[in-house]
PDB file of all heavy atoms in Angstrom:
ATOM      1  N   PRO A  96     -12.197  10.551  30.853  1.00 98.00           N
ATOM      2  CA  PRO A  96     -11.546  11.100  32.027  1.00 98.00           C
ATOM      3  C   PRO A  96      -9.978  11.106  32.026  1.00 98.00           C
ATOM      4  O   PRO A  96      -9.303  11.893  32.648  1.00 98.00           O
ATOM      5  CB  PRO A  96     -11.982  10.234  33.194  1.00 98.00           C
ATOM      6  CG  PRO A  96     -13.337   9.617  32.724  1.00 98.00           C
ATOM      7  CD  PRO A  96     -13.123   9.504  31.276  1.00 98.00           C
ATOM      8  N   ASP A  97      -9.406  10.259  31.112  1.00 98.00           N
ATOM      9  CA  ASP A  97      -8.066  10.258  30.932  1.00 98.00           C
ATOM     10  C   ASP A  97      -7.495  11.231  29.815  1.00 98.00           C
ATOM     11  O   ASP A  97      -6.412  11.136  29.346  1.00 98.00           O
ATOM     12  CB  ASP A  97      -7.538   8.857  30.555  1.00 98.00           C
ATOM     13  CG  ASP A  97      -7.389   7.988  31.828  1.00 98.00           C
ATOM     14  OD1 ASP A  97      -7.555   8.515  32.893  1.00 98.00           O
ATOM     15  OD2 ASP A  97      -7.157   6.769  31.780  1.00 98.00           O
ATOM     16  N   GLY A  98      -8.449  12.074  29.333  1.00 98.00           N
ATOM     17  CA  GLY A  98      -8.061  13.097  28.408  1.00 98.00           C
ATOM     18  C   GLY A  98      -8.097  12.642  26.904  1.00 98.00           C
ATOM     19  O   GLY A  98      -7.236  13.045  26.122  1.00 98.00           O
ATOM     20  N   TYR A  99      -9.152  11.924  26.589  1.00 98.00           N
ATOM     21  CA  TYR A  99      -9.321  11.507  25.161  1.00 98.00           C
ATOM     22  C   TYR A  99     -10.725  11.923  24.725  1.00 98.00           C
ATOM     23  O   TYR A  99     -11.725  11.947  25.570  1.00 98.00           O
ATOM     24  CB  TYR A  99      -9.251   9.969  24.964  1.00 98.00           C
ATOM     25  CG  TYR A  99      -7.866   9.397  25.230  1.00 98.00           C
ATOM     26  CD1 TYR A  99      -7.479   8.990  26.433  1.00 98.00           C
ATOM     27  CD2 TYR A  99      -6.927   9.328  24.096  1.00 98.00           C
ATOM     28  CE1 TYR A  99      -6.233   8.380  26.630  1.00 98.00           C
ATOM     29  CE2 TYR A  99      -5.699   8.867  24.337  1.00 98.00           C
ATOM     30  CZ  TYR A  99      -5.316   8.352  25.512  1.00 98.00           C
ATOM     31  OH  TYR A  99      -4.084   7.923  25.710  1.00 98.00           O
ATOM     32  N   VAL A 100     -10.829  12.325  23.439  1.00 98.00           N
ATOM     33  CA  VAL A 100     -12.078  12.527  22.874  1.00 98.00           C
ATOM     34  C   VAL A 100     -12.490  11.231  22.127  1.00 98.00           C
ATOM     35  O   VAL A 100     -11.692  10.657  21.408  1.00 98.00           O
ATOM     36  CB  VAL A 100     -12.119  13.644  21.775  1.00 98.00           C
ATOM     37  CG1 VAL A 100     -13.385  13.720  21.089  1.00 98.00           C
ATOM     38  CG2 VAL A 100     -11.759  14.973  22.501  1.00 98.00           C
ATOM     39  N   CYS A 101     -13.722  10.753  22.443  1.00 98.00           N
ATOM     40  CA  CYS A 101     -14.198   9.470  21.733  1.00 98.00           C
ATOM     41  C   CYS A 101     -15.270   9.922  20.710  1.00 98.00           C
ATOM     42  O   CYS A 101     -16.246  10.590  20.986  1.00 98.00           O
ATOM     43  CB  CYS A 101     -14.845   8.582  22.697  1.00 98.00           C
ATOM     44  SG  CYS A 101     -13.664   7.937  23.947  1.00 98.00           S
ATOM     45  N   MET A 102     -15.051   9.557  19.467  1.00 98.00           N
ATOM     46  CA  MET A 102     -15.932   9.952  18.376  1.00 98.00           C
ATOM     47  C   MET A 102     -16.359   8.701  17.588  1.00 98.00           C
ATOM     48  O   MET A 102     -15.616   7.974  17.141  1.00 98.00           O
ATOM     49  CB  MET A 102     -15.161  10.933  17.412  1.00 98.00           C
ATOM     50  CG  MET A 102     -15.948  11.442  16.220  1.00 98.00           C
ATOM     51  SD  MET A 102     -15.015  12.627  15.251  1.00 98.00           S
ATOM     52  CE  MET A 102     -15.930  12.787  13.769  1.00 98.00           C
ATOM     53  N   ARG A 103     -17.717   8.625  17.450  1.00 98.00           N
ATOM     54  CA  ARG A 103     -18.294   7.488  16.741  1.00 98.00           C
ATOM     55  C   ARG A 103     -19.113   8.066  15.558  1.00 98.00           C
ATOM     56  O   ARG A 103     -19.921   8.954  15.675  1.00 98.00           O
ATOM     57  CB  ARG A 103     -19.242   6.693  17.651  1.00 98.00           C
ATOM     58  CG  ARG A 103     -18.570   6.037  18.817  1.00 98.00           C
ATOM     59  CD  ARG A 103     -19.619   5.418  19.702  1.00 98.00           C
ATOM     60  NE  ARG A 103     -19.080   4.766  20.796  1.00 98.00           N
ATOM     61  CZ  ARG A 103     -19.752   4.549  21.967  1.00 98.00           C
ATOM     62  NH1 ARG A 103     -21.024   4.844  22.114  1.00 98.00           N
ATOM     63  NH2 ARG A 103     -19.084   3.949  22.965  1.00 98.00           N
ATOM     64  N   VAL A 104     -18.779   7.446  14.395  1.00 98.00           N
ATOM     65  CA  VAL A 104     -19.511   7.920  13.159  1.00 98.00           C
ATOM     66  C   VAL A 104     -20.269   6.753  12.556  1.00 98.00           C
ATOM     67  O   VAL A 104     -19.606   5.729  12.350  1.00 98.00           O
ATOM     68  CB  VAL A 104     -18.397   8.453  12.132  1.00 98.00           C
ATOM     69  CG1 VAL A 104     -19.185   9.127  10.964  1.00 98.00           C
ATOM     70  CG2 VAL A 104     -17.499   9.480  12.791  1.00 98.00           C
ATOM     71  N   ASP A 105     -21.508   7.039  12.231  1.00 98.00           N
ATOM     72  CA  ASP A 105     -22.227   6.021  11.453  1.00 98.00           C
ATOM     73  C   ASP A 105     -21.818   6.151   9.993  1.00 98.00           C
ATOM     74  O   ASP A 105     -21.802   7.255   9.422  1.00 98.00           O
ATOM     75  CB  ASP A 105     -23.765   6.393  11.473  1.00 98.00           C
ATOM     76  CG  ASP A 105     -24.433   5.955  12.726  1.00 98.00           C
ATOM     77  OD1 ASP A 105     -23.984   4.946  13.381  1.00 98.00           O
ATOM     78  OD2 ASP A 105     -25.516   6.527  13.076  1.00 98.00           O
ATOM     79  N   SER A 106     -21.379   5.044   9.400  1.00 98.00           N
ATOM     80  CA  SER A 106     -20.868   5.144   8.038  1.00 98.00           C
ATOM     81  C   SER A 106     -21.999   5.365   7.081  1.00 98.00           C
ATOM     82  O   SER A 106     -23.249   5.285   7.364  1.00 98.00           O
ATOM     83  CB  SER A 106     -20.143   3.809   7.739  1.00 98.00           C
ATOM     84  OG  SER A 106     -20.986   2.676   7.978  1.00 98.00           O
ATOM     85  N   ARG A 107     -21.669   5.650   5.895  1.00 98.00           N
ATOM     86  CA  ARG A 107     -22.594   6.068   4.847  1.00 98.00           C
ATOM     87  C   ARG A 107     -23.706   4.976   4.635  1.00 98.00           C
ATOM     88  O   ARG A 107     -23.442   3.827   4.493  1.00 98.00           O
ATOM     89  CB  ARG A 107     -21.904   6.221   3.474  1.00 98.00           C
ATOM     90  CG  ARG A 107     -22.722   6.736   2.289  1.00 98.00           C
ATOM     91  CD  ARG A 107     -21.837   6.876   1.112  1.00 98.00           C
ATOM     92  NE  ARG A 107     -20.841   7.936   1.303  1.00 98.00           N
ATOM     93  CZ  ARG A 107     -20.732   8.984   0.480  1.00 98.00           C
ATOM     94  NH1 ARG A 107     -21.467   9.139  -0.585  1.00 98.00           N
ATOM     95  NH2 ARG A 107     -19.720   9.857   0.740  1.00 98.00           N
ATOM     96  N   GLY A 108     -24.966   5.441   4.740  1.00 98.00           N
ATOM     97  CA  GLY A 108     -26.139   4.565   4.573  1.00 98.00           C
ATOM     98  C   GLY A 108     -26.452   3.797   5.787  1.00 98.00           C
ATOM     99  O   GLY A 108     -27.371   3.006   5.766  1.00 98.00           O
ATOM    100  N   ALA A 109     -25.827   4.091   6.964  1.00 98.00           N
ATOM    101  CA  ALA A 109     -26.142   3.357   8.219  1.00 98.00           C
ATOM    102  C   ALA A 109     -26.501   4.278   9.308  1.00 98.00           C
ATOM    103  O   ALA A 109     -26.038   5.509   9.311  1.00 98.00           O
ATOM    104  CB  ALA A 109     -24.894   2.524   8.633  1.00 98.00           C
ATOM    105  N   GLY A 110     -27.293   3.831  10.269  1.00 98.00           N
ATOM    106  CA  GLY A 110     -27.684   4.677  11.385  1.00 98.00           C
ATOM    107  C   GLY A 110     -28.320   5.991  10.951  1.00 98.00           C
ATOM    108  O   GLY A 110     -29.245   6.012  10.099  1.00 98.00           O
ATOM    109  N   THR A 111     -27.716   7.104  11.402  1.00 98.00           N
ATOM    110  CA  THR A 111     -28.294   8.414  11.109  1.00 98.00           C
ATOM    111  C   THR A 111     -27.539   9.046   9.948  1.00 98.00           C
ATOM    112  O   THR A 111     -27.799  10.278   9.709  1.00 98.00           O
ATOM    113  CB  THR A 111     -28.289   9.300  12.348  1.00 98.00           C
ATOM    114  OG1 THR A 111     -26.918   9.370  12.856  1.00 98.00           O
ATOM    115  CG2 THR A 111     -29.198   8.804  13.452  1.00 98.00           C
ATOM    116  N   SER A 112     -26.684   8.350   9.304  1.00 98.00           N
ATOM    117  CA  SER A 112     -25.895   8.884   8.138  1.00 98.00           C
ATOM    118  C   SER A 112     -26.599   8.530   6.841  1.00 98.00           C
ATOM    119  O   SER A 112     -26.951   7.373   6.533  1.00 98.00           O
ATOM    120  CB  SER A 112     -24.461   8.315   8.145  1.00 98.00           C
ATOM    121  OG  SER A 112     -23.731   8.878   9.236  1.00 98.00           O
ATOM    122  N   GLN A 113     -26.719   9.529   5.985  1.00 97.00           N
ATOM    123  CA  GLN A 113     -27.428   9.389   4.735  1.00 97.00           C
ATOM    124  C   GLN A 113     -26.495   8.741   3.729  1.00 97.00           C
ATOM    125  O   GLN A 113     -25.340   8.546   3.918  1.00 97.00           O
ATOM    126  CB  GLN A 113     -27.914  10.747   4.166  1.00 97.00           C
ATOM    127  CG  GLN A 113     -26.793  11.771   3.949  1.00 97.00           C
ATOM    128  CD  GLN A 113     -27.253  13.182   3.506  1.00 97.00           C
ATOM    129  OE1 GLN A 113     -26.822  13.659   2.555  1.00 97.00           O
ATOM    130  NE2 GLN A 113     -28.108  13.699   4.339  1.00 97.00           N
ATOM    131  N   GLY A 114     -27.123   8.389   2.526  1.00 98.00           N
ATOM    132  CA  GLY A 114     -26.295   7.814   1.450  1.00 98.00           C
ATOM    133  C   GLY A 114     -26.557   6.387   1.172  1.00 98.00           C
ATOM    134  O   GLY A 114     -27.382   5.781   1.816  1.00 98.00           O
ATOM    135  N   VAL A 115     -25.818   5.860   0.147  1.00 98.00           N
ATOM    136  CA  VAL A 115     -25.939   4.433  -0.322  1.00 98.00           C
ATOM    137  C   VAL A 115     -24.888   3.627   0.448  1.00 98.00           C
ATOM    138  O   VAL A 115     -23.715   3.940   0.455  1.00 98.00           O
ATOM    139  CB  VAL A 115     -25.771   4.310  -1.755  1.00 98.00           C
ATOM    140  CG1 VAL A 115     -25.772   2.844  -2.199  1.00 98.00           C
ATOM    141  CG2 VAL A 115     -26.911   5.075  -2.477  1.00 98.00           C
TER     142      VAL A 115
END
Side-chain angles (χ1 to χ4, degrees):
D97 279 354
Y99 291 93
V100 174
C101 300
M102 178 174 168
R103 296 175 181 159
V104 186
D105 281 332
S106 56
R107 184 177 296 236
T111 55
S112 292
Q113 61 185 232
V115 175

